Amino acid sequence: MSRPLILVSNDDGITSKGIRVLVSVMKKLGEVVVVAPDSPQSGMGHAITIGETLRLYEEEIFEGVKAYSASGTPADCVKLAKHYVLKDRTPDLVVSGINHGSNTSISVLYSGTMSAAIEGALEGYPSIGFSLCDYSSKADFSHVEAWVEKIATQVLERGLSKGVALNVNFPPKQNEEIKGIKLCRQADAKWQEEFSERFDPNGRKYFWMAGNFVNFDKGEDNDEWAIANNYVSIVPCQYDLTAHHAISRMNKDWDWEYLKK
Amino acid sequence: MSRPLILVSNDDGITSKGIRVLVSVMKKLGEVVVVAPDSPQSGMGHAITIGETLRLYEEEIFEGVKAYSASGTPADCVKLAKHYVLKDRTPDLVVSGINHGSNTSISVLYSGTMSAAIEGALEGYPSIGFSLCDYSSKADFSHVEAWVEKIATQVLERGLSKGVALNVNFPPKQNEEIKGIKLCRQADAKWQEEFSERFDPNGRKYFWMAGNFVNFDKGEDNDEWAIANNYVSIVPCQYDLTAHHAISRMNKDWDWEYLKK
């Protein structure tokens, strides 16, 4: 059997430390092709590039690995990989990251890292987004490499349910070793923004957005709890957003006579 | 009882026809405040502006309505509205659109229109994204105004389940009148991209991304079917992406002995 084909992307950009670590682990498991943004794309959510052109350049960054930088978003990178770089070859695995910073809870919505993984999932490829809950560009990834390898190996061997991508978060490096893996649901939490109001040299007002994370979740089966307790969190994520429970409720509660044409 | 406070945003930009139509309908229902992007933001997904500054300017575009243009994404607009424009006032309804173009099926992921609605929902506000399945900037909205008013009225009266935003799509103007409303699930469909490869005047390669929509869904309970059959589609969408069925499967299928630390 030929070696698995593994597509690697991220949202911190092709020169970040996190993607170097991810590529080095994936090289043990298969043939690696990298298509990643040429600049940081944090907070890009599932953005794609419409109405603007895209650039794609071959890069010699990772030894023995075909690599391309793209001018677009993480989701663009997966699309370019599928339709232009890989063409008739189908990846056995799509991995994104390792993100410098947490993508637990509601951050999955804003996450460029996860958008690459979800884009992979909707093409039918087993896909994983990896994030380390440490925002430093020089973050220590040494304690997570073995976990990345194990989780990727499981996905290569066992596959994933249709329409599902894994959101994997790792606790930051601590004195104590990581305790293990928790399969989790997305925690009920959100960002509480603050806008810092300033004036430019021309006297015109501008804003910086900053956020404080607020966790409402008291459960122990969610990703926030797992990270806080030094476990790896894995949340399987779906891109079918339908809230089926709300359909039932609306069928019952709404005034359908009034809503007739 | 005071009039409801209604926050309006969109992703086509504050000068688009769709938002003018939406504002004119909402003015019948309550006090309207507009915070919308200063330029088109289609395909921005749930992007937010991190590491760059934001601008916000008061605009006199809509008669008798407080309106602001913002330099950021639709999600940024809702955050700016909450924390800066509205401050201590809580909107009774957040509406986004009316988008020039479809946001059915998988397009919900890429949709700036829906990101404003989902951002509203995660702040706990009843929120609706409206889209017309007609991409023309001069699209005819005359057949949807009454529907927008009815749906917004129902949401103001009955509320929405926690964590849910409505994705409402309208069929394009046809000879036959719209037949009614269908509560739907998100259709199983995707975009099949094509990249047009070109060379700039300096001989450097660039790409345009174009997409063809491919519908795999044979059901009649989804938004694609509703639009194709001249119904208004309403998909209640949730931002909790957890695929609970996948947790059960992974608990059973994965080799948890191997995955121990």
Side-chain angles (χ1 to χ4, degrees), chain A residues 98-118:
Chain A
I98 302 170
N99 192 58
H100 292 249
S102 165
N103 278 316
T104 56
S105 176
I106 197 67
S107 300
V108 69
L109 285 192
Y110 307 106
S111 163
T113 305
M114 278 308 294
S115 80
I118 288 176

Side-chain angles (χ1 to χ4, degrees), chain B residues 113-184:
Chain B
T113 305
M114 278 307 294
S115 81
I118 288 176
E119 190 65 35
L122 65 88
E123 290 296 347
Y125 313 143
S127 300
I128 317 171
F130 292 106
S131 303
L132 175 66
C133 298
D134 182 336
Y135 289 89
S136 164
S137 62
K138 295 174 181 167
D140 188 341
F141 290 86
S142 59
H143 62 307
V144 311
E145 293 182 20
W147 291 106
V148 169
E149 186 176 344
K150 280 186 171 188
I151 293 166
T153 302
Q154 275 293 292
V155 171
L156 278 168
E157 283 179 4
R158 313 272 159 125
L160 286 174
S161 301
K162 183 177 177 298
V164 166
L166 299 188
N167 182 17
V168 178
N169 280 266
F170 299 107
K173 176 95 170 173
Q174 292 161 53
N175 291 331
E176 180 200 42
E177 269 187 49
I178 287 176
K179 288 182 189 148
I181 294 174
K182 292 278 181 198
L183 287 184
C184 303

Side-chain angles (χ1 to χ4, degrees), chain A residues 190-235:
Chain A
K190 66 163 199 159
W191 289 91
Q192 179 73 30
E193 278 78 22
E194 280 172 18
F195 288 93
S196 169
E197 191 178 341
R198 302 186 184 186
F199 291 87
D200 69 18
N202 299 314
R204 291 163 67 208
K205 198 188 292 180
Y206 68 94
F207 299 88
W208 286 107
M209 181 163 71
N212 296 310
F213 190 73
V214 193
N215 187 1
F216 306 109
D217 208 312
K218 305 291 180 217
E220 302 195 347
D221 57 346
N222 64 73
D223 50 4
E224 278 301 310
W225 186 93
I227 295 299
N229 288 275
N230 206 20
Y231 286 94
V232 179
S233 70
I234 303 184
V235 179

Side-chain angles (χ1 to χ4, degrees), chain B residues 232-245:
Chain B
V232 179
S233 70
I234 303 185
V235 179
C237 295
Q238 59 191 19
Y239 53 79
D240 178 353
L241 307 189
T242 312
H244 290 278
H245 64 283

Side-chain angles (χ1 to χ4, degrees), chain B residues 207-251:
Chain B
F207 300 87
W208 286 106
M209 182 162 71
N212 296 309
F213 190 73
V214 192
N215 188 1
F216 306 108
D217 208 313
K218 306 289 178 217
E220 302 196 344
D221 57 346
N222 66 74
D223 49 4
E224 277 302 310
W225 185 93
I227 295 300
N229 289 275
N230 206 20
Y231 286 93
V232 179
S233 70
I234 303 185
V235 179
C237 295
Q238 59 191 19
Y239 53 79
D240 178 353
L241 307 189
T242 312
H244 290 278
H245 64 283
I247 295 183
S248 319
R249 190 194 143 184
M250 290 163 67
N251 265 322

Side-chain angles (χ1 to χ4, degrees), chain A residues 78-91:
Chain A
V78 174
K79 290 178 187 293
L80 277 164
K82 177 182 183 202
H83 295 285
Y84 189 79
V85 174
L86 300 177
K87 288 197 180 97
D88 299 331
R89 304 183 67 197
T90 300

Side-chain angles (χ1 to χ4, degrees), chain A residues 43 48 54-55 57 79 110 119 123 150 158 190 193 200 204 207 236 238 241 243 253 260, chain B residues 43 48 54-55 57 79 110 119 123 150 158 186 190 193 200 204 207 236 238 241 243 253 260:
Chain A
I48 50 174
L54 287 166
R55 300 278 186 173
Y57 294 108
K79 290 178 187 293
Y110 307 106
E119 190 65 34
E123 291 296 347
K150 280 186 172 189
R158 313 272 158 125
K190 66 163 199 159
E193 278 78 22
D200 69 18
R204 291 163 67 208
F207 299 88
Q238 59 192 21
L241 308 189
D253 284 5
K260 272 193 185 150
Chain B
I48 50 174
L54 287 165
R55 299 278 188 174
Y57 294 107
K79 289 177 187 292
Y110 307 107
E119 190 65 35
E123 290 296 347
K150 280 186 171 188
R158 313 272 159 125
Q186 176 181 322
K190 67 162 199 160
E193 279 77 22
D200 69 18
R204 291 164 67 208
F207 300 87
Q238 59 191 19
L241 307 189
D253 285 5
K260 272 194 184 151

